[in-house]
């Protein structure tokens, strides 16, 4: 069956969650070559692709409203983002903590309620939530920054480029940003992970306000995507320090080039398949719940006498099942509630 609904964007979203699953499922595969593990770990950058796509989509909403009315209703902007993201998050958070309490008897970390867990030196549980914290900080600050630039009559194009440059430099100028640290601040802090989001916002701005520059970027994306892809596949051979300082920013540009290609081309045939659409539709719920499934199945594997590698396809099936349930029972109802309480502005 074939479907058509923002199909190329759906494909990008489906690819992003697929990369994340490859990363986390691959971590649990044993007796495979070290080089293959290294390539599985590249799936971590599915989050980078999510960031670029999120910046593009949210930026597009922001620029369209500003272009049609001359201003953006910030409270509406925030309200719609929060009703989209918070209900699924707070539905899964207690489940994630329950597992920690049962197995480790650790106290609850209150910072998870306020999306500050990504500033802990080491996150204690629900590790995938770090990127949700980054997104929430982005949603909060973006309209304030852009509104300030407009109020002060600062060149929006120049200001966006400056923000991208600052985000790239963040890991160089923050003394606490060090490679080889536990999974926490140095990897997850919001200001260290803004490149992809700001690139997406910038590209949405250029597409709406500068057709000539957008065409130039489209041409360059086609020319550079293959060399960028080769560079991406070479990441396992970069030194740990160089990969930490520049890898994420480089991959953000790779993802940005891929996004440009996807939104400037007619629908790819693979993007029109129902499976791609469904994976994209469930991607947020899958992202929130997949680590719970993987941890549970990998704990059960030795008790059931099942080789770990054989549990991977079982995990994948359960991930899709639980992700679909979370979407049906929590995420979709919360989006319907959003449309009733805070309908989309008629200007967008």
């Amino acid at each position: 069956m074939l479907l058509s609904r923002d199909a190329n964007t759906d494909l990008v979203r489906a690819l992003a969650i697929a990369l994340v699953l490859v990363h986390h499922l691959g971590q649990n595969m044993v007796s495979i070559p070290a080089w293959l593990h290294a390539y599985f770990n590249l799936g971590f950058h599915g989050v980078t692709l999510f960031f670029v796509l999120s910046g593009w989509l949210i930026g597009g909403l922001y620029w369209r409203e500003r272009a049609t009315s001359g201003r953006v209703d910030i409270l509406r902007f925030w309200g719609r983002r929060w009703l989209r993201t918070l209900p699924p998050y707070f539905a899964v958070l207690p489940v994630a903590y329950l597992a920690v309490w049962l197995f480790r008897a650790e106290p609850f970390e209150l910072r998870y309620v306020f999306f500050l867990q990504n500033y802990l030196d080491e996150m204690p549980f629900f590790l995938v939530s770090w990127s949700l914290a980054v997104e929430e900080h982005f949603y909060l600050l973006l309209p304030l920054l852009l509104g300030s630039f407009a109020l002060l009559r600062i060149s929006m194009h120049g200001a966006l480029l400056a923000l991208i440059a600052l985000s790239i430099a963040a890991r160089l100028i923050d003394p606490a940003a060090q490679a080889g640290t536990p999974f926490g601040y140095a990897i997850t802090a919001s200001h260290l992970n803004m490149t992809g989001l700001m690139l997406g916002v910038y590209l949405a701005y250029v597409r709406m306000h500068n057709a000539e520059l957008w065409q130039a970027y489209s041409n360059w994306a086609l020319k550079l995507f293959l060399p960028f892809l080769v560079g991406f596949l070479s990441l396992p051979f970069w030194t740990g320090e160089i990969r930490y300082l520049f890898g994420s920013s480089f991959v953000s540009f790779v993802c940005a080039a891929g996004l440009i290609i996807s939104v400037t081309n007619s629908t790819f045939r693979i993007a029109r398949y129902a499976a791609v659409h469904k994976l994209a539709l469930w991607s947020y719920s899958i992202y929130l719940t997949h680590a719970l499934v993987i941890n549970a199945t990998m704990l059960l594997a030795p008790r059931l006498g099942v080789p770990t590698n054989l549990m991977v396809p079982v995990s994948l099936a359960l991930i899709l099942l639980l992700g679909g349930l979370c979407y049906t029972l929590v995420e979709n109802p919360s989006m319907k509630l959003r449309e009733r309480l805070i309908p989309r502005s008629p200007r967008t």
Side-chain angles (χ1 to χ4, degrees):
M1 177 183 178
L2 297 175
L3 292 171
S4 178
R5 187 194 69 90
D6 300 326
N8 282 358
T9 302
D10 274 354
L11 179 62
V12 173
R13 189 180 286 107
L15 176 60
I17 191 61
L19 285 170
V20 170
L21 295 180
V22 165
H23 171 54
H24 286 133
L25 289 170
Q27 285 180 325
N28 291 282
M29 296 188 72
V30 298
S31 303
I32 63 173
W35 66 266
L36 189 54
H37 262 301
Y39 278 101
F40 284 153
N41 287 338
L42 289 181
F44 176 84
H45 290 293
V47 175
T48 307
L49 183 53
F50 271 128
F51 284 161
V52 173
L53 180 60
S54 180
W56 166 264
L57 295 173
I58 299 304
L61 292 172
Y62 183 93
W63 299 126
R64 282 195 296 274
E65 183 170 351
R66 178 167 286 280
T68 55
S69 67
R71 60 180 294 275
V72 172
D73 185 334
I74 293 182
L75 293 181
R76 180 188 295 274
F77 180 92
W78 284 336
R80 286 184 60 82
R81 301 290 76 71
W82 291 335
L83 280 175
R84 173 70 180 85
T85 57
L86 298 191
Y89 172 81
F90 283 112
V92 176
L93 178 60
V95 180
Y97 173 66
L98 178 62
V100 172
W101 181 77
L102 288 174
F103 287 96
R104 304 204 299 256
E106 293 181 3
F108 180 71
E109 172 54 70
L110 193 60
R111 273 173 277 199
Y112 279 82
V113 175
F114 302 102
F115 292 97
L116 296 174
Q117 66 268 36
N118 64 324
Y119 277 89
L120 292 166
D121 289 338
E122 183 173 5
M123 287 181 61
F125 67 94
F126 200 16
L127 303 187
V128 299
S129 70
W130 76 271
S131 64
L132 273 300
V134 174
E135 291 267 8
E136 295 303 328
H137 300 159
F138 168 70
Y139 297 153
L140 183 65
L141 293 175
L142 179 71
L144 297 177
L145 280 173
L146 299 183
S148 298
F149 296 153
L151 186 64
L152 297 173
R153 301 185 182 277
I154 296 173
S155 165
M156 195 65 72
H157 188 266
L160 290 171
L161 288 176
L163 287 175
I164 293 170
L166 182 61
S167 67
I168 294 171
R171 296 192 182 196
L172 294 169
I173 61 181
D174 185 343
Q178 300 290 331
T181 59
F183 191 82
Y185 178 99
I187 300 169
T188 63
S190 295
H191 65 284
L192 303 177
N193 289 284
M194 283 288 160
T195 306
L197 289 159
M198 291 313 307
L199 268 174
V201 172
Y202 171 70
L203 290 175
Y205 176 83
V206 171
R207 191 186 196 190
M208 178 168 290
H209 294 94
N210 193 327
E212 184 178 352
L213 186 57
W214 175 255
Q215 185 59 54
Y217 285 164
S218 299
N219 294 337
W220 278 107
L222 287 169
K223 293 175 182 177
L224 293 176
F225 185 70
L226 184 57
F228 274 179
L229 186 59
V230 172
F232 174 71
L233 294 175
S234 75
L235 280 173
F237 304 100
W238 296 21
T239 66
E241 184 71 14
I242 295 298
R243 187 165 58 245
Y244 172 76
L245 292 175
F246 301 107
S248 179
S249 293
F250 170 73
V251 175
S252 294
F253 281 91
V254 177
C255 295
L259 178 66
I260 292 172
I261 292 170
S262 74
V263 300
T264 54
N265 278 269
S266 57
T267 302
F268 302 124
R269 181 170 177 80
I270 188 175
R272 297 176 62 85
Y273 282 97
V276 172
H277 165 79
K278 193 68 70 175
L279 187 59
L281 196 65
W282 295 354
S283 60
Y284 181 45
S285 289
I286 289 174
Y287 183 80
L288 286 173
T289 59
H290 76 279
L292 299 176
V293 174
I294 293 172
N295 291 336
T297 54
M298 293 307 161
L299 284 172
L300 284 174
R303 299 183 183 184
L304 298 175
V306 179
T308 301
N309 287 0
L310 290 182
M311 289 300 288
V312 170
V314 175
S315 296
L316 182 58
L318 292 174
I319 285 167
L320 296 176
L321 176 61
L322 185 58
L325 285 173
C326 183
Y327 174 82
T328 301
L329 299 177
V330 181
E331 185 179 353
N332 193 41
S334 71
M335 287 191 291
K336 291 179 178 179
L337 178 65
R338 177 182 69 169
E339 296 309 317
R340 288 199 298 270
L341 297 179
I342 315 176
R344 185 188 298 273
S345 170
R347 294 186 294 269
T348 60

